[in-house]
Amino acid sequence: MTWAAAQQVCATLTLTLAGSGWRLPSMSELQSLIDESRTDPAIDPAAFPATPSEGFWAATPLADSTTAAWFVSFFEGIAYNAVFENPQRVRCVR
């Protein structure tokens, strides 16, 4: 989904999951999930089973940009940036 849609999904989780305060993770929070000893996906499968090896949006916009934000690809655990309209996956935190 787009970056805006990802933010909206997290914000509405209060309605479906117990508690409030759901949001997109910051870039540093998302990068902390990377397991550098793994690839495809580069994330602990015990803690995060069935995580696809695809990009997940971070809440962190690209510096000096009004049209792009960061995301982490869990194929190899690398951070990239993309325009807001480029679809990525979402993992919400609180």
Side-chain angles (χ1 to χ4, degrees), residues 43-49 51 91:
I43 195 167
D44 181 352
F48 301 99
T51 296
R91 171 162 279 144

Side-chain angles (χ1 to χ4, degrees), residues 2-91:
T2 67
W3 192 63
Q7 290 179 319
Q8 184 63 31
V9 164
C10 291
T12 59
L13 284 179
T14 300
L15 303 175
T16 57
L17 296 176
S20 62
W22 291 96
R23 59 180 172 75
L24 282 179
S26 69
M27 190 59 188
S28 60
E29 288 172 324
L30 199 55
Q31 286 178 305
S32 74
L33 302 179
I34 296 169
D35 183 341
E36 294 180 359
S37 70
R38 301 180 177 277
T39 60
D40 197 17
I43 195 167
D44 181 352
F48 301 99
T51 296
S53 297
E54 297 176 19
F56 286 78
W57 280 121
T60 311
L62 189 61
D64 297 326
S65 175
T66 59
T67 61
W70 289 99
F71 71 93
V72 169
S73 168
F74 282 100
F75 181 74
E76 291 183 329
I78 297 174
Y80 298 98
N81 61 74
V83 296
F84 295 148
E85 299 307 312
N86 188 15
Q88 303 295 336
R89 292 187 174 264
V90 60
R91 171 162 279 144

